[in-house]
Amino acid sequence: PDFNLHSVAFFAEAALRCRGRGHSHVTVYCSSRKEDATTRRMKEQADEWRVVYGKSAEEVAAMVRSDGIDILVELAGHTAGNRLDVMALRPAPVQVTWIGYPNTTGLPA
């Protein structure tokens, strides 16, 4: 939910910008309605940008599976707007949380 002017976006945007575009494919699943200049810059850095705001966990998990995502990164943890409901469905073989919540999610490994 933090792909806008937010502290999480400062780190995520840098990771997108410095990733070596020819070496990886990044699909962003954005669960926010809010869009600003930061969002627009991040959209340019992603290979694909999917808005999942308002979609159920099952719908998003099906998108992740269909997109063939190998590593799914969730940025909110236990903060507002998180999609741990999607992570609980295990739609990707490798799943991690990063930045937004510096603690365990409580989901089994």
Side-chain angles (χ1 to χ4, degrees), residues 23-70:
H23 302 287
S24 61
H25 180 92
V26 174
T27 301
V28 172
Y29 300 92
C30 181
S31 61
S32 176
R33 291 184 296 181
K34 185 177 181 180
E35 184 171 315
D36 61 16
T38 302
T39 312
R40 290 186 286 279
R41 284 193 313 271
M42 292 180 79
K43 280 183 176 180
E44 292 175 5
Q45 296 298 324
D47 295 302
E48 293 184 60
W49 187 274
R50 301 193 184 279
V51 177
V52 298
Y53 178 81
K55 295 191 183 301
S56 71
E58 291 77 12
E59 289 174 297
V60 178
M63 290 172 72
V64 171
R65 288 185 189 106
S66 177
D67 290 340
I69 301 301
D70 296 314

